[in-house]
Amino acid sequence: VIADRMDQMINGFAFVELPAFAPGFDTFVKLEGLNPAGSIKLKTARSIVRSLERRGLLRPGSRIVESTSGNLGVALAAIGAACGYCVTLVVDPNANKRSIAAMAAFGAEIVVVTERDANGGYLGSRIRRILAMVADDPDLVWPNQYANENNVNAHRDSTAEEILAGFGAPDWLFVGAGTTGTLMGCVKRFGPYRDRTRIVGVDAVGSVTFGGPAATRNIPGLGTSRVPEIFDASADFEPVMVAEADTIRMCRRIARTYGLLLGGSSGTVLAAVHQLRNRISPGQRVMVVSPDLGDRYLDTVYNDAWVIEHIGAEALDEQRDSVLGEGVLSA
Ligand SMILES: Cc1ncc(COP(=O)(O)O)c(C=O)c1O
């Protein structure tokens, strides 16, 4: 492949099987961490920027401001660098240090919000900060990934389309929910396949998106402290919640069993497959969307001291595994 620009290098057709992940059915992972800028969010950033350009809202030197838990910021910073736009990213203390370093390497300005909002998260605080910045400077362009239909359409037209074109309609499709752009986009594109593919939306315990009570979360990527505008609770998917301790155990088992270092949200989504394993019929094919790889999480998910401090020592104890239980991956 010889590309004109780095965002043309998006690798949408990398699917890897996890042999014997669960007895009876076949589990595959769609690896989005192989994209430039390291995550699925390059598609979101590309779609958002293209739409702003089409509407004449971006000129060379324009400044984009966005709230991000990490990956969208890295992707926007990369696209901004490639297209000649300035980028300001509003992050919080849960944001990954390596992601922030990458944003800075691409030349973005970083603003860290430290006060928690009424739900104990940071999203409300990040949005408040952006509203104040936009009020001060009307030339700032705020795409607002939580309310931007181009976030949904990016995944309808790429992530979901790539699964259909490169793999075919799976029996089950498991997708994590952050802004819910990936989930809503997959639900839209798989509408005509409703009878063949069951979609499961996966979120972290403590997130409010699916209606659960708010609680502190430590792993970036999934979850919100405020329901995103693009989320449609009546959409055709099944919600599943996963505890952060199960995310940690799953990530670590996948690394040791398959030599695949996946990001935190990928472990969450795989833990949801395990949670539903008794409902998945023998011979069925399960597809899991993995938004990023694990190298950005070596200081957190894969670091014992961090896990003990933030999640609890039980997350390192496979015998106390609340979800993983018997069998899977233990052989
Ligand atoms: C690592 C990771 N996983 C999952 C997600 C969730 O994707 P979405 O925002 O499309 O719901 C994100 C979004 O930033 C992410 O960075």
Side-chain angles (χ1 to χ4, degrees), residues 295-316:
D295 36 359
R296 287 181 186 152
Y297 303 83
L298 288 170
D299 300 332
T300 56
V301 169
Y302 296 98
N303 178 296
D304 288 358
W306 184 90
V307 170
I308 289 166
E309 184 185 340
H310 292 88
I311 314 287
E314 76 281 3
L316 300 178

Side-chain angles (χ1 to χ4, degrees), residues 41 69 71 151 155 176-182 221-222 265 291-292 297:
K41 291 302 227 180
S69 69
N71 280 332
N151 180 2
H155 300 289
T179 65
T180 71
T182 316
L222 301 188
S265 64
D292 64 1
Y297 303 83

Side-chain angles (χ1 to χ4, degrees), residues 101-165:
M103 295 173 206
F106 288 126
E109 178 189 51
I110 318 288
V111 175
V112 186
V113 164
T114 51
E115 66 278 14
R116 289 189 185 268
D117 58 31
N119 285 332
Y122 293 100
L123 182 54
S125 310
R126 285 196 253 138
I127 305 279
R128 263 201 312 281
R129 177 69 66 90
I130 289 186
L131 288 171
M133 290 164 77
V134 171
D136 268 0
D137 179 358
D139 287 337
L140 275 181
V141 181
W142 176 33
N144 192 1
Q145 59 164 333
Y146 293 93
N148 193 321
E149 275 303 314
N150 294 295
N151 180 2
V152 176
N153 296 342
H155 300 289
R156 178 197 62 192
D157 299 340
S158 59
T159 311
E161 190 60 44
E162 290 151 4
I163 293 170
L164 285 170

Side-chain angles (χ1 to χ4, degrees), residues 18 21 29 174-178 200-207 210 217-223 239-254 262-276 288-292 297 301-302 306 311 323-324:
L18 301 185
F21 176 78
V29 176
F174 283 72
V175 185
V200 178
V202 185
D203 205 353
V205 169
S207 167
F210 297 163
R217 291 168 291 107
N218 301 283
I219 303 171
L222 301 188
V240 170
M241 304 299 286
V242 172
E244 287 193 325
D246 292 324
T247 293
I248 301 285
R249 282 187 282 258
M250 183 58 84
C251 285
R252 288 163 169 246
R253 284 187 180 198
I254 296 291
L262 299 180
S265 64
S266 307
T268 312
V269 180
L270 281 161
V273 175
H274 191 78
Q275 221 163 292
L276 298 198
V288 168
V289 177
S290 163
D292 64 1
Y297 303 83
V301 169
Y302 296 98
W306 184 90
I311 314 287
V323 164
L324 300 181

